[in-house]
Amino acid sequence: MSAFDFNNTSGRYVEAAGSSSINNFTALTFWLWFYADAFQSGDRWWSKFGQELINNFGDADDFYLSIDRATTLAEAASNENFATGKWWFLAGTYDESDGPRLFKGDLDTAVAECAYTTRNVGAGATNSSTGVLRVGTGYNFTTGQPDARVALFGLRNDRLTLTQIRRLQYAPLMAESATKLLWWLGYNGLTNVPDLSGNLNTGTVAGSVALANGVPIELIPLFTRPNYAAVEAAPAGGHPAMRRLGLFDYMRPVEIGRQNVRIF
Amino acid sequence: MALLTADQRRQVARRFAEVEFRDNNQTANLDVDDLMAAAQEADIYQDSVTVAYNTALPLRFRNNATARQKNLLLRLVMEEHAP
């Protein structure tokens, strides 16, 4: 599975215009797979007016999810080491009663909640967030960007449980009804990234398109032929992570559309 | 004298950055280093103001009011000063 390489290139980010399907979330879940070559202060991993994930100080343990609320800001700062040179799964949730939370996993480790240096639920109604959504910008929102690759980015307007987030971690790209934006950023190198959620929140690439294959992520993208050989060559019972989650049978390749399939 | 720990200054800088970024319509003209340096100076200034405020208070109030009561008094005065 390929990824979009922000590669510390000034002015390279992916943007969706504000739309009714992604504005003014009062509950949300986001998730992404990323591979960082370095962390830099002020990288905004995703940002939408008053709701964002930022690395303020350029540390591998400093992801900061903040949601603007009428009385007190909701905020969660991670205290986990997302080491460079490795694929990580990072997710976050928020609603007004539970506040913000962050979750961390990788290819072989099921996602779990992060430890925090700060976590405040915040107070008051969630403020509106009608601005554009950008993935991979720098501190001033235009120049600068993560020195990292991002394989996919998803956003939903509900708060998932840890169990539900674990399903997302190794699942094929799929969009349930609450998923409002789902980008496979390494899709095909176009300047427009299709929104697989069906909500037409197409991503526009600013700056040059750059794909990086990097270290492969063993996810099976929607609409593409699975790598049957790789799956079948995995140890008996499937990839360890899939086996641990009981997903191997679910992900066993099935030939569809080649023969012996009738559509009524 | 600076009273905040490095983590507390970071928290001040983070919160300031969030509020400023939103209120400034998703633009930022100060970088994180600017905010950390300013948070340190604001910390030192706040400590000096607190010391000066305590010294300025009449002796009986200074010696008998709790820190919370002194803060309350100052906050009420500041509210009256506000336009």
Side-chain angles (χ1 to χ4, degrees), chain B residues 44-76:
Chain B
I44 293 168
Y45 173 75
Q46 175 62 30
D47 183 44
S48 68
V49 167
T50 303
V51 172
Y53 167 59
N54 196 52
T55 306
L57 290 170
L59 197 58
R60 272 177 54 77
F61 188 88
R62 187 196 314 168
N63 290 342
N64 293 300
T66 64
R68 184 173 172 279
Q69 288 172 319
K70 291 175 184 175
N71 285 337
L72 172 64
L73 178 71
L74 181 60
R75 196 164 68 245
L76 292 173

Side-chain angles (χ1 to χ4, degrees), chain A residues 60-107:
Chain A
D61 62 352
D62 183 43
F63 280 104
Y64 179 68
L65 173 63
S66 65
I67 309 292
D68 188 37
R69 302 186 67 166
T71 307
T72 310
L73 186 72
E75 55 183 353
S78 69
N79 187 23
E80 299 273 358
N81 184 23
F82 289 84
T84 55
K86 178 178 176 176
W87 281 104
W88 292 102
F89 179 84
L90 172 59
T93 60
Y94 165 78
D95 72 17
E96 290 180 352
S97 62
D98 191 60
R101 294 183 188 275
L102 291 165
F103 301 87
K104 169 193 176 189
D106 61 35
L107 287 169

Side-chain angles (χ1 to χ4, degrees), chain A residues 165-206:
Chain A
I165 292 171
R166 283 181 176 161
R167 287 189 201 125
L168 281 177
Q169 183 182 5
Y170 297 115
L173 282 177
M174 59 184 185
E176 298 170 23
S177 59
T179 301
K180 299 305 181 188
L181 186 157
L182 184 60
W183 289 342
W184 172 21
L185 289 168
Y187 175 54
N188 59 6
L190 297 174
T191 53
N192 289 324
V193 181
D195 174 11
L196 300 179
S197 77
N199 285 291
L200 303 179
N201 293 307
T202 301
T204 303
V205 176

Side-chain angles (χ1 to χ4, degrees), chain A residues 41-42 44 47-50 52 54 56-57 59 61-62 64 66 68-69 73 75 77 117-118 120 127 131-132 139-141, chain B residues 6-7 9-36:
Chain A
S41 62
R44 297 185 194 276
S47 180
K48 194 171 191 312
F49 198 86
E52 69 171 355
I54 183 170
N56 290 93
F57 300 104
D59 297 332
D61 62 352
D62 183 43
Y64 179 68
S66 65
D68 188 37
R69 302 186 67 166
L73 186 72
E75 55 183 353
T117 53
T118 298
N120 292 316
N127 283 339
V132 299
Y139 189 72
N140 72 0
F141 210 49
Chain B
D7 279 346
R9 284 202 303 279
R10 282 184 163 211
Q11 194 57 23
V12 169
R14 283 189 188 113
R15 287 176 179 161
F16 181 91
E18 282 308 317
V19 173
E20 193 255 357
F21 185 62
R22 180 204 62 213
D23 290 353
N24 217 10
N25 200 27
Q26 289 182 298
T27 59
N29 58 346
L30 298 164
D31 67 26
V32 180
D33 292 337
D34 292 332
L35 300 186
M36 284 295 281

